[in-house]
Amino acid sequence: MFLQGRRALVTGSTSGIGLAIARTLHGEGAEVVLNGFGDEGEIATLREELGGAAHFGADLTDVAAVEAMMADAGVIDILVNNAGVQHVSPVEDFPVDKWNLIIALNLTAAFHTTRLAVPGMKAKGWGRIINTASAHSKVASPFKSAYNASKHGIAGFTKTIALELAEHGVTANCISPGYVWTPLIEGQIPDTMKARGLSREEVINDVLLVKQATKKFVQPEEVGALAAFLCRDEAQNVNGANWSVDGGWTAE
Ligand code: NAD
């Protein structure tokens, strides 16, 4: 319970990776603040599971909504910028509204939450900023121009704030997963089987895991465990790093 007395805001924590991070930090004693969309009843159940956690349904692409959330959330010791979306399209057809959404959520929202959380961290002389980037912060895949740009952007942003905050007891790091087994990915398998005429195994191994050398999906809990490690005092000199959790994808 090494996070007792710490307050952690995890954006996009009503689902997938963010939820796993929130659960892990709560399991280590942190008071967790949730953010994200979803069914009201399910969010109420999650809040109860996580010790009566506060929840903010703020749309992080709306600067005023981010500012209101950060004002109401109080002092945050651990900020996990995790909320993100994807859109796949050739660049010449890429819808402008999708480009703007992806950059606003995956990149610009992290700037706003960070600039608003940093004064409290500096005042305490302790803080952790963890940004969920992606293997696509290091390498590209075609048809993901906005996503790749946003994830390369968050990697550069993280390095910059790591340098700025280093002498204030605040670290900033990225976690960069490959394919993570979330309901989002699981739901794509039947459609891909149909579209490509492949078996479930072929979709998993030849489409989804083709670059993931372990041929295994990352589990959301594995990302949660790494996030918890980065919050340890022993990780005080782990700063400005971009941690791959991609089964070896970006080693190639
Ligand atoms: P997910 O769809 O399961 O969860 C996304 C979360 O973001 C949800 O809580 C959702 O409500 C929230 N969200 C969406 N739009 C929002 C908005 N405008 N304002 C506030 N919250 C919003 O996705 P996931 O797979 O858990 O992905 C989480 C992060 O991990 C993303 O940044 C994603 O790019 C990154 N990532 C995912 C994978 C993967 O394979 N699943 C791989 C690498 C990186």
Side-chain angles (χ1 to χ4, degrees), residues 12-18 35-37 58-61 82-85 105 132-134 147 151 177-180 182 184-185:
S13 48
T14 52
S15 171
I17 295 169
N35 158 257
F37 304 146
D59 179 343
L60 301 185
T61 65
N82 167 82
V85 286
L105 182 61
T132 308
S134 165
Y147 189 83
K151 296 298 185 179
Y179 275 109
V180 184
T182 65
L184 198 86
I185 298 287

Side-chain angles (χ1 to χ4, degrees), residues 181-193 200 208:
W181 190 254
T182 65
L184 198 86
I185 298 287
E186 194 173 4
Q188 289 174 16
I189 292 177
D191 284 347
T192 312
M193 285 167 68
R200 183 181 165 84
L208 295 177

Side-chain angles (χ1 to χ4, degrees), residues 94-176:
F94 211 95
V96 172
D97 61 336
K98 292 287 184 198
W99 173 279
N100 289 336
L101 167 68
I102 290 170
I103 300 297
L105 182 61
N106 298 14
L107 178 58
T108 308
F111 158 66
H112 291 302
T113 53
T114 300
R115 71 177 171 82
L116 295 165
V118 158
M121 292 179 178
K122 275 187 168 178
K124 277 193 171 180
W126 195 95
R128 293 288 183 268
I129 300 170
I130 300 168
N131 296 326
T132 308
S134 165
H136 288 112
S137 75
K138 300 184 172 190
V139 296
S141 299
F143 313 121
K144 298 182 176 178
S145 53
Y147 189 83
N148 296 342
S150 73
K151 296 298 185 179
H152 278 67
I154 194 88
F157 176 68
T158 307
K159 288 196 272 191
T160 310
I161 58 174
L163 294 175
E164 288 184 29
L165 301 171
E167 290 182 45
H168 296 273
V170 180
T171 67
N173 293 281
C174 282
I175 298 180
S176 283

